[in-house]
Amino acid sequence: MFDVIVLGGGAAGFYGAIHIAESNPKLQVAILERGKDVLGKVKVSGGGRCNVTHAEFDPKELTKNYPRGERELLGPFHNYCTGDTMAFFEKRGVPLNIEADGRMFPSTNSSQTIIDCFVGETERLGIKVLKNSSVVGITPLDKNKGKDDYSWEIKSIRNSYKAKKILVATGSNPKIWELLRQMGHTIVPPVPSLFTFNIKDERITGIQGVSTNASIKIVPTKVNNGKYKAALKNYTIHPSDLESEGPLLITHWGMSGPGILRLSAWGAQLLNELNYKFSIKINWLPAYHEEGVLSQLQQIKEIEGKKTVLRTKAFQLPKRLWISLVKASGISDTDKWADISKNQIQNLAKQLTNSKFNVDGKSTFKEEFVTAGGVDLKEINFKTYESKILPNLFFAGEVINIDAITGGFNFQNAWTGAYIAAQAIAKGL
């Protein structure tokens, strides 16, 4: 018998349990974790360094990094934001470092530091952590029929428990979503959110590892143009959300990097609808438009006529990428600027500012699998993170239909939701 049972031994689950027990030390709190280990996603996040949060301290600006949940998170972020997260860890001897791109990591650069902090806190506060306890049933109890004030019975594969309140922090767990659906909640079908693009194209073959800042835009193919337009309306996506500027990394299988991952998050539902077959247009020189580049190329032709095009450093681009785009324009290794035609120059300007690539499939971004989907946001009170359908049932983290771009934002959503839910739970007991 427990006052509170937290379902899920991940980031949101531990953070919530710790805050519940701290707010009311008399409460009996337990975490049920289906696996043999806890905090698995924390361990692999940020390449094993754990990207705890992001150095954006303005709640409104912070919400702009959430394709799903932007409107709902404004109030919660005013309540508990990045600075509060930093204070939580620093109070427990875990200072965070801010990197140039805004990502924040423990100063040890090891996710184990975060795991040790959480596990140590649960031991200090007397929170029971029950591993290998996959939940198979959640049943609301009729208080009128019993003498106790327990609201829930939770069945795991090992045992049965009663609790006054539940915090569901199970992440992307289809079995838990199904149990919630059976109890009356609407579950938005989950689709992958953070992923890289599979592209086979001669222009990027053999130049894997090249990274550069680029402007990228998702566009439909001729075949799926109708489906693309329908999906835009269906998921209320603005075309500007499908444009991104940032670092782009060429890989063995296609393209990755923050610029691509941002598009994968904003376009998650639409791209799933298109079965991950679509096109992207890339401007490799985001500071320029096609006419400006064409004008500059014509000036270079006049000044550097005796030099070969391939060996000229016309723009600040990685050398291997420049060579590839020059060749794609129909210009050979030995062609000099003076010898190339007007058509070849126009082709080069187009390759540099308006390259089109066909995407056919996706790949998971490292081990940091994130989904769009989960408990419908309309069914949650974001002042408390309590269910509007089932009293004494609370949510935090990725179990609800909120997800973010890469950079520590998904963790901040977990910390904020878990903290607010914890305060409401502790106050109500």
Side-chain angles (χ1 to χ4, degrees):
M1 306 295 179
F2 294 97
D3 295 299
V4 186
I5 288 180
V6 177
L7 306 186
F14 267 79
Y15 208 73
I18 289 164
H19 280 291
I20 292 165
E22 261 199 337
S23 298
N24 190 342
K26 294 179 182 178
L27 297 178
Q28 296 292 311
V29 182
I31 297 172
L32 298 187
E33 164 56 39
R34 62 177 171 169
K36 62 178 182 178
D37 296 308
V38 294
L39 300 162
K41 206 164 185 180
V42 169
K43 190 171 184 64
V44 299
S45 84
R49 297 166 63 210
C50 189
N51 185 183
V52 177
T53 185
H54 199 93
E56 176 52 75
F57 300 93
D58 181 315
K60 188 165 182 60
E61 288 302 310
L62 187 58
T63 64
K64 292 177 181 178
N65 297 285
Y66 296 83
R68 283 146 292 274
E70 179 178 354
R71 184 171 59 85
E72 289 80 5
L73 284 172
L74 184 58
F77 282 157
H78 274 288
N79 186 337
Y80 195 89
C81 204
T82 312
D84 301 298
T85 300
M86 292 180 74
F88 171 88
F89 286 107
E90 285 175 3
K91 182 182 174 183
R92 289 158 179 81
V94 183
L96 305 179
N97 287 343
I98 302 174
E99 300 205 339
D101 60 2
R103 293 182 302 160
M104 297 172 68
F105 296 88
S107 58
T108 59
N109 270 329
S110 172
S111 57
Q112 193 60 45
T113 306
I114 304 298
I115 295 170
D116 292 343
C117 170
F118 284 159
V119 171
E121 285 294 278
T122 57
E123 291 171 356
R124 179 179 72 84
L125 294 164
I127 298 165
K128 292 258 192 292
V129 180
L130 306 171
K131 301 173 189 175
N132 297 307
S133 296
S134 184
V135 172
V136 294
I138 305 171
T139 309
L141 297 175
D142 188 342
K143 294 181 187 178
N144 298 323
K145 291 182 180 179
K147 295 179 181 179
D148 58 41
D149 60 350
Y150 289 99
S151 301
W152 297 96
E153 182 176 26
I154 296 103
K155 287 184 180 178
S156 77
I157 56 173
R158 301 180 66 179
N159 216 327
S160 183
Y161 309 92
K162 285 184 180 178
K164 295 174 183 176
K165 295 182 187 289
I166 303 175
L167 173 59
V168 182
T170 46
S172 305
N173 186 327
K175 290 180 181 177
I176 298 298
W177 278 328
E178 177 56 23
L179 292 175
L180 293 169
R181 190 193 64 76
Q182 289 172 11
M183 291 191 292
H185 267 290
T186 304
I187 305 300
V188 177
V191 298
S193 179
L194 289 180
F195 50 87
T196 61
F197 296 172
N198 292 354
I199 300 169
K200 287 184 178 178
D201 192 291
E202 283 186 5
R203 288 169 291 177
I204 59 172
T205 300
I207 63 168
Q208 57 271 10
V210 166
S211 179
T212 188
N213 201 60
S215 175
I216 314 141
K217 180 180 181 181
I218 290 173
V219 293
T221 62
K222 287 181 181 178
V223 176
N224 63 22
N225 187 44
K227 208 171 185 181
Y228 174 90
K229 289 179 178 176
L232 278 180
K233 288 181 183 177
N234 190 26
Y235 297 111
T236 59
I237 300 169
H238 194 274
S240 63
D241 291 333
L242 301 178
E243 298 177 20
S244 166
E245 184 179 327
L248 182 154
L249 173 67
I250 294 171
T251 68
H252 286 282
W253 61 89
M255 294 181 187
S256 183
I260 294 290
L261 294 170
R262 182 180 180 85
L263 290 180
S264 76
W266 283 96
Q269 292 164 315
L270 178 142
L271 300 181
N272 179 71
E273 197 83 17
L274 299 178
N275 198 28
Y276 306 102
K277 295 180 189 296
F278 55 97
S279 296
I280 56 173
K281 286 186 176 179
I282 299 176
N283 182 348
W284 300 102
L285 302 168
Y288 296 83
H289 51 69
E290 189 173 337
E291 291 78 9
V293 168
L294 182 59
S295 175
Q296 191 153 334
L297 290 173
Q298 286 166 341
Q299 287 179 30
I300 294 170
K301 176 179 166 66
E302 291 176 16
I303 299 166
E304 307 282 7
K306 293 181 180 180
K307 288 186 179 178
T308 58
V309 179
L310 226 58
R311 293 186 181 180
T312 306
K313 194 169 178 64
F315 299 95
Q316 290 296 317
L317 272 181
K319 186 178 179 181
R320 288 192 292 162
L321 178 62
W322 166 255
I323 291 170
S324 180
L325 296 176
V326 167
K327 288 181 177 179
S329 308
I331 299 168
S332 74
D333 296 18
T334 56
D335 280 345
K336 294 177 181 176
W337 284 100
D339 301 328
I340 60 174
S341 67
K342 182 181 176 182
N343 190 46
Q344 285 173 311
I345 284 190
Q346 288 173 337
N347 286 345
L348 181 54
K350 193 176 183 71
Q351 286 292 343
L352 289 165
T353 59
N354 200 15
S355 292
K356 190 174 182 181
F357 292 86
N358 294 322
V359 179
D360 187 3
K362 60 175 176 55
S363 294
T364 303
F365 176 59
K366 299 181 181 177
E367 298 88 354
E368 298 174 46
F369 188 71
V370 174
T371 55
V375 178
D376 196 311
L377 304 183
K378 296 192 212 61
E379 299 172 356
I380 299 167
N381 175 359
F382 280 93
K383 291 181 179 177
T384 59
Y385 278 74
E386 185 174 15
S387 164
K388 291 180 180 178
I389 293 172
L390 298 160
N392 301 310
L393 176 67
F394 296 78
F395 301 102
E398 211 183 319
V399 68
I400 63 181
N401 185 27
I402 289 178
D403 63 284
I405 63 172
T406 185
F409 302 105
N410 282 298
F411 272 138
Q412 187 56 52
N413 168 51
W415 313 138
T416 294
Y419 172 82
I420 293 173
Q423 299 312 301
I425 290 167
K427 191 177 178 181
L429 286 171

